[in-house]
Amino acid sequence: MRTERNLTRLDRVFARLDREPERPAHIDVPRMSRHRVVLFAATLAFYLAIVWAVAITSWLVRFDWQVMFFRPYQQWPEIHAFLDYYVVLGQRGPTAVMVAAWLGWRSWRQHTLRPLLTLGASLLLLNITVGAAKLGMGRLGPHYAITIGSNEMGLGGDIFPSGHTANAVVTWGILAYLASTPRARRWLSALSAVTSLGVGLTTVYLGTHWLSDVLLGWAAGLLILLALPWCEPLIARAEAGIFSLRDSWRARRGRVVPAPAASPVGAPAMVPRPATAEDEVPAREPAASVRAPRAPVYLAPGPHTGRSERTPVTPVGSRRPPHADRVARSATTSARPLAGG
C-alpha cells in the first residue's frame, strides 16, 4: 500500500510561495492619498507636540522622572533576561540584515528591485531625520541624567527620540508597506505595531530611554512610513536606471564574438549535396523558371557507408517506352524451342 507524506504547515507555506507568479501584476504601489496626507499631518503635529512638551519641561517630563524612579527592571526582575534579547528586534544592524534577506529573496523572485530600493530609502530617511533630531536636541538618558526634574536637553546626549523604537517601526513596518494583498497588509501592520510597541516599552523597562523618547520614536518611524509614497517615483527611476545599466553592460559583452567551437563527436554534420543533372539550368529556359538552390543535407549522426558499399535498388517496371509491335521478353522466351530437343 502506498502512503503519501502528510504536509506540515511550513511545507504548505513554501508550496504556496513556489506557486506565486513572477512579476505579479496585482501588486499596487501605494500613493499619497488624502487619507494618508491627513494621517501624516496628524502624526507630524503629535511629533511637534512631544518636542514642545519636553522643551518647556511640562508634565510629560515630570512623568518621565516618575517612571525612572519606579525602576521597572527592579519591580519585575524575572523578565529581565527575556527582554534583553527581545530588545534586539529594535537594533538597526540585526533587523536590517533579516529584513534585507527576505526582501532580497522577494526581489529575485519577482524580478524587481523595488523591495530592496524601498528598504534602502526608508533606512536612509531614518538615519537622516532621527539622527539629526538626536544631535540637535542633545538630551541625556535616564542613566546619565544630572538634574532631577529637568528635561536634560542640550547637554550633548543622543537619546531623544528613541532610535530603537523608530527603527522597529520602520524596519518591520516596511514589510506591511510592501505587502501584495490588503489582508497581508493588515496583518503585517498589526504585527509591526505590536513589535515596535514592545521594543519601546522594553527600553523604558531597562532604563535606557525616557517614556517621551519612545513616544517621539513611534511618531518619527510612522512619519517615514507615511511619506514613502512620495519617494516612489524616485525609486522607479532608480530601478529603471539600474536595469538600463545592466542591459548596456550585457550588450557590450555581447559584441565580443567568440571563436567557433569544434563540433562534438557524433553531432549532425552539414555537408553540401553533390550537384546533379537536375540542378543544371539550361540556357534556353527563361529566368522565371530557374530553380532555387536546395538546402544543404543534414546527415544523421553515426557511421556512413559509401556509394559502392550500398545495395543497389532495382526500379519497378521497365524504363523503355511502350510499343505496340514489341513482344514482351517473357512471351518470346517461352515460344523459342529448347536447344537439343
Side-chain angles (χ1 to χ4, degrees), residues 201-214:
L201 294 179
T202 299
T203 59
V204 176
Y205 169 87
L206 297 175
T208 57
H209 277 287
W210 307 99
L211 183 60
S212 57
D213 298 343
V214 174

Side-chain angles (χ1 to χ4, degrees), residues 29-73:
V29 178
R31 297 181 179 181
M32 206 65 184
S33 60
R34 182 179 302 178
H35 178 69
R36 188 180 287 268
V37 170
V38 172
L39 287 178
F40 182 85
T43 307
L44 181 60
F46 179 76
Y47 184 96
L48 296 176
I50 295 297
V51 174
W52 177 254
V54 174
I56 63 174
T57 316
S58 65
W59 63 269
L60 185 57
V61 175
R62 294 193 297 270
F63 188 71
D64 285 340
W65 281 97
Q66 291 175 3
V67 173
M68 193 272 288
F69 285 132
F70 182 70
R71 291 181 175 83
Y73 57 90

Side-chain angles (χ1 to χ4, degrees), residues 87-233:
V87 79
V88 177
L89 295 177
Q91 290 184 359
R92 192 162 306 168
T95 55
V97 170
M98 290 187 289
V99 175
W102 169 257
L103 294 182
W105 183 83
R106 298 289 296 179
S107 297
W108 173 80
R109 179 77 175 160
Q110 298 175 358
H111 295 274
T112 177
L113 295 177
R114 179 175 170 261
L116 286 177
L117 292 177
T118 306
L119 176 63
S122 62
L123 292 181
L124 181 62
L125 289 175
L126 178 67
N127 290 332
I128 294 175
T129 57
V130 176
K134 283 175 174 289
L135 297 178
M137 289 181 276
R139 191 183 189 188
L140 295 177
H143 292 318
Y144 303 97
I146 300 175
T147 306
I148 297 177
S150 68
N151 56 15
E152 302 295 319
M153 293 183 67
L155 299 177
D158 57 351
I159 208 72
F160 186 64
S162 172
H164 272 69
T165 307
N167 183 72
V169 173
V170 172
T171 306
W172 303 113
I174 202 70
L175 299 179
Y177 179 83
L178 295 172
S180 56
T181 60
R183 181 180 179 183
R185 187 175 294 112
R186 288 193 299 268
W187 280 100
L188 290 175
S189 298
L191 181 61
S192 62
V194 172
T195 304
S196 58
L197 176 64
V199 169
L201 294 179
T202 299
T203 59
V204 176
Y205 169 87
L206 297 175
T208 57
H209 277 287
W210 307 99
L211 183 60
S212 57
D213 298 343
V214 174
L215 295 177
L216 196 64
W218 284 332
L222 188 57
L223 283 175
I224 294 173
L225 291 179
L226 292 174
L228 277 180
W230 280 328
C231 303
E232 287 292 344

